[in-house]
Structures are given as structure tokens and as C-alpha cells.
Amino acid sequence: MTELLIRGAALLVTMDDARRELEDADLLMREGCIAAIGTGLETTGKVVDARGCLVTPGLVNTHHHLYQTLTRAVPGGQDALLFGWLRTLYPIWARYTPEHMFVSAQAGLAELALSGCTTSSDHLYLYPGGSRLEDTIHAAAEIGLRFHPTRGAMSIGESAGGLPPDSLVESEAAILEDCIRVVDRFHDPADGAMCRVGIAPCSPFSVSRELMRDAALLARDKGVMLHTHLAENDEDIAYSLSQFGCRPGQYAEELGWTGADVWHAHCVKLDAGEINLFARSRTGVAHCPCSNCRLGSGIAPVRAMRDAGVPVGLGVDGSASNDAGNLVAEARQAMLMQRVARGADAMSAREALEIATRGGADVLGRSDTGRLATGKRADIAVWDMSGIEAAGSWDKAALLLAGPSRVRDLFVEGRQVVADGHLMTVDLPSLVEKQERLALTLRE
Ligand SMILES: [Zn+2]
């Protein structure tokens, strides 16, 4: 029986149903689950001394494009709006091989792990040079994070009036066939699953109406989730109105893209009617504040969404539009952005942390993680609050106001992925070296 005990945490923020916060607390993990939370717990297994530390659920990332970690801060895309930015980057991404995909995903996941993330989704919608979804699945297995890859797709290329070059789009028949392949091969519906696959056409403007509808039918048939980009900025809304004759929310609803098994990235421009639709149908949102700032898209109405009952999680988005992949920094940004829009009481540090943990887990259909309670999966972040970043703080639970931007320790399914600030699963310096070398090959 594998046990591990976190002992003597200065504060343990559970995000359980009662939102309990426990001082001087222990947490016992057994066989991948949380076996007990309390004081004076004992174990025959390893003990991790957490004095001076804040313990929280592991953070959950609900939107990323891990393949973009090799294309950060590309000069031509640094100051462009969304569509111009895409036109700059597509030809670079078209040069990728499976090795680029694998290393880029590892680098992105390593960065997430060090920032407290235990579960990440990914949205991979282009497959150049023979790349496949499993390039990222294998990367996540090595890093040790719980992974929700989504089989993305684009089918409308330049010659058909779309944005991406024709070399990056696929036929819709091939897309659906590969969706079936990866779901059958890699999706695990069981409690505690380390890999769950979703279906995720890139956006309503990069595939046909038929593919959107067929993807929804397929996902329901297979019992997997649906994901895409929606209502990201003003151009996006204008495109929807001119091409589809309706707003994005209506388009989504008509094609089966609402429900508790659907989550949409960004949703910066949802109007009041669409927020009600999402709340009624329990449709989830991946809020990506840094990317929305970086691309000048706007401030998502997260306060209104939460008040209406829309499930909201947090996403770092792809590294080419953030360009960082630090999830705890993203949570701080989410809190600050709502305050810019609605005032200092618009979102507390605790609420932003809740969105980053429990909120994201619920968006991904994972009520087995994102909170610390007996019987839940042992996905846990340990933050050292004895350093300079938190010194002088009167409230250790207010991690997003004053606290470290990297974890001291991280556990996923009870296994230690980060120890004393170091990644345990993959050698980080050699990963960075590979990432740099492969990024260089894209410039040639
Ligand atoms: Zn995105």
C-alpha cells in the first residue's frame, strides 16, 4: 500500500463543499487518493514536512495549445491582432514534425507543473509532418500530469476562403476518422483517469457547419467532451454575424454545442443572452486572461458568468499568445482583470483560486479532483510561504495577492512530480536545450 503524508501545513485550503481552511493540518495520500485530512495523522510511508507552507488542490488548466511552446515571442506576431497573428504563425507551424510536437508539449507541461498545475487539457488542431495526438499524450505521461487532450481540426484552407494555408487543413472525413481512432485508443472514462480525450474543431470559422454538427454527434455517441474557441473578440462576432447570420451562442446552440459536456475557450464577447444560455445549459468556459490581454481581445465578463452560474475554469492558452504558461500567474491575472472592469470587490483572491482549481476541474467534468477531500484524487500543490514573495502577508490563503509563482512540491495521483522546486520526472535542463534546438530549426 503506497502512502505519503504531508505533515504540518501552515494552512490547507481545501476548496471542498464547505470551503474549509485548516491550520496546522496534515493530509494523507494512499493509492492515488486522499485518505485523510486532519491533525496528528501517522503513516508508515514517506513524510513531507510542510511547515510554513500553504497546501491547495492542484491547479487545473482548461485551455492550451502545447505545440506553440516552440514559437514564443515570434517577432512578426508580437503586436498583431488575432487574425494577423495567425497568418504570421501558420507557415512556421507547418514545418513541425512529431518531434517538435512531443518536445513542445513536454516543455509546456513542465512549465505548468512548476506553476502548480496537476491537470491540463490541450487543444491540438493541426497535424503537420505526420504529427498525431499521441505525440502530446506520450509527453504528458512522461511529465506525469493528468491530461485531457482534444482532437482539434481545421478543414477550411486559404483556397476555400479560410485563414490557414491549405497544407495545414484536413478533409472532414479524415478528421472524423481520426477522432474515432484517438477516442477508442486513449480515452479513459474511469474515475481517476489520467487521460481523457475530447473532440475540438479549432473554431467555427475554420471548419464547416456540417463538421461542427457531426463532431457533436460523435462526441455524444462516444461519451466524450466537446471544446472549441468561441466569441474571442470583435472580429469573431462580426465574422459570425456576416457568415452565419447569428451570434456565436446561437450558432453553438443550433449545432449541439451547448451542455455540461461542452466547454468553450475565451467567450470574451458573450452577451447577456448568451451568458444565460450557458448558465441554463451548464456549458463551460475556459477563461484565458493573459491571452485576451496579449491579443487585445478584451475583458471576459467572468463576474457576470459566475453570478449567472456558468461553470468557469482557467486557461493559459497557447504559449505563442501568452507567451508564458504559468497557471498561478494566470489566476492572479484573472482576479486583476475583473477588478479593472468592475472594481476592487469584483473578484477576491479566494474566488480566483477556486476558479483555478475546483472551477477548472468541474469544467472538465472532473469532480474527482480540484478539491481536497477524503476519497478525491491526490492532486496537490504545496506552496512555500516562507520566502520573500509571501513575507509580511497576513493571510496565507491570499496566495494570488502575495505568494510564490512556483510550487515547492506537486503531487499528481499521489505521485511526486515536483520536489523542492525541481521537476522529478524529466531532466529540465536537457528539455530546455532540446526546446531551444528545435525552435531554431523552425527559423531556417
Ligand atoms: Zn486557444
Side-chain angles (χ1 to χ4, degrees), residues 63-65 68 123 125 229 232 265-266 288 291 317-318 321:
H63 187 64
H64 207 322
H65 309 287
Q68 295 177 0
H123 189 187
Y125 52 82
H229 294 103
E232 182 166 352
H266 302 302
C288 307
S291 171
D317 204 2
S321 68

Side-chain angles (χ1 to χ4, degrees), residues 19-88:
R19 305 297 191 273
R20 289 181 306 153
E21 296 181 0
L22 309 171
E23 289 180 9
D24 194 21
D26 305 336
L27 184 152
L28 181 66
M29 306 175 219
R30 183 184 298 141
E31 303 295 343
C33 285
I34 297 170
I37 295 172
T39 49
L41 301 181
E42 295 296 337
T43 182
T44 50
K46 185 181 166 187
V47 176
V48 173
D49 183 349
R51 279 174 298 178
C53 292
L54 168 69
V55 173
T56 70
L59 275 50
V60 177
N61 181 40
T62 60
H63 187 64
H64 207 322
H65 309 287
L66 288 165
Y67 79 89
Q68 295 177 0
T69 314
L70 299 181
T71 53
R72 291 168 152 163
V74 171
Q78 283 185 19
D79 307 319
L81 299 178
L82 178 64
F83 287 9
W85 170 90
L86 284 170
R87 281 196 194 92
T88 301

Side-chain angles (χ1 to χ4, degrees), residues 259-311:
D261 55 354
V262 184
W263 85 107
H264 294 286
H266 302 302
C267 298
V268 175
K269 298 293 177 181
L270 288 194
D271 69 11
E274 289 168 321
I275 289 171
N276 279 334
L277 167 67
F278 276 41
R280 266 197 328 272
S281 56
R282 305 294 300 155
T283 308
V285 168
H287 174 46
C288 307
C290 287
S291 171
N292 298 157
C293 287
R294 159 80 162 79
L295 294 171
S297 303
I299 301 175
V302 174
R303 179 72 276 145
M305 291 178 191
R306 293 264 303 174
D307 291 346
V310 176

Side-chain angles (χ1 to χ4, degrees), residues 52-233:
C53 292
L54 168 69
V55 173
T56 70
L59 275 50
V60 177
N61 181 40
T62 60
H63 187 64
H64 207 322
H65 309 287
L66 288 165
Y67 79 89
Q68 295 177 0
T69 314
L70 299 181
T71 53
R72 291 168 152 163
V74 171
Q78 283 185 19
D79 307 319
L81 299 178
L82 178 64
F83 287 9
W85 170 90
L86 284 170
R87 281 196 194 92
T88 301
L89 288 164
Y90 281 140
I92 301 173
W93 296 332
R95 290 179 221 141
Y96 272 48
T97 66
E99 189 187 14
H100 289 92
M101 286 292 177
F102 177 80
V103 171
S104 193
Q106 279 212 328
L109 291 162
E111 189 182 11
L112 282 172
L114 290 167
S115 72
C117 173
T118 49
T119 298
S120 184
S121 72
D122 187 43
H123 189 187
L124 181 56
Y125 52 82
L126 41 81
Y127 295 86
S131 307
R132 298 193 296 176
L133 191 68
E134 48 263 54
D135 299 325
T136 63
I137 293 173
H138 297 147
E142 280 195 15
I143 298 288
L145 293 198
R146 208 178 289 286
F147 196 41
H148 283 223
T150 61
R151 207 301 181 183
M154 299 190 291
S155 62
I156 302 177
E158 257 170 345
S159 63
L163 276 180
D166 289 354
S167 66
L168 281 180
V169 305
E170 303 169 87
S171 80
E172 299 200 337
I175 290 165
L176 289 168
E177 194 179 312
D178 198 52
C179 285
I180 293 168
R181 180 187 73 83
V182 293
V183 168
D184 288 350
R185 182 134 174 229
F186 298 106
H187 179 72
D188 179 1
D191 227 32
M194 290 298 289
C195 182
R196 283 205 190 150
V197 178
I199 295 176
C202 181
S203 66
F205 52 77
S206 53
V207 299
S208 74
R209 176 184 286 267
E210 289 69 36
L211 186 70
M212 290 295 287
R213 196 192 50 225
D214 289 349
L217 291 171
L218 176 62
R220 303 262 151 68
D221 182 50
K222 293 282 184 188
V224 302
M225 292 189 73
L226 285 165
H227 180 52
T228 193
H229 294 103
L230 203 81
E232 182 166 352
N233 61 13

